[in-house]
């Protein structure tokens, strides 16, 4: 049992291959990409419009106007 503790204390600390800040940045980029892709699929395939219209600010303004009118 003491041998295991000595081996643990003699081991070098593990270095991270990808720093935590880079991991967070990668996750945020993936979330953004998946959100945009989901909006394009929903607007283009399910809604019957042009998928790239989902990225236009005018489209979002129209959606906001429809929601606020109710």
């Amino acid at each position: 049992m003491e041998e295991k503790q000595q081996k643990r204390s003699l081991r070098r600390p593990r270095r991270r291959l990808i720093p935590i800040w880079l991991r967070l940045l990668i996750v945020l980029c993936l979330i953004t990409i998946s959100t945009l892709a989901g909006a394009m699929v929903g607007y283009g395939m399910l809604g019957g419009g042009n998928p790239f219209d989902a990225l236009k600010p005018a489209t979002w303004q129209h959606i906001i106007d429809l929601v606020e009118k109710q």
Side-chain angles (χ1 to χ4, degrees), residues 17-38:
L17 295 178
I18 302 174
I20 293 176
W21 64 268
L22 185 58
R23 289 181 194 183
L24 291 174
L25 186 65
I26 291 170
V27 167
L28 289 176
C29 287
L30 290 174
I31 288 172
T32 303
I33 290 169
S34 65
T35 301
L36 291 175

Side-chain angles (χ1 to χ4, degrees), residues 36-54:
L36 291 175
M40 290 176 71
V41 167
Y43 191 80
M45 292 183 173
L46 300 177
N50 183 5
F52 290 103
D53 285 344

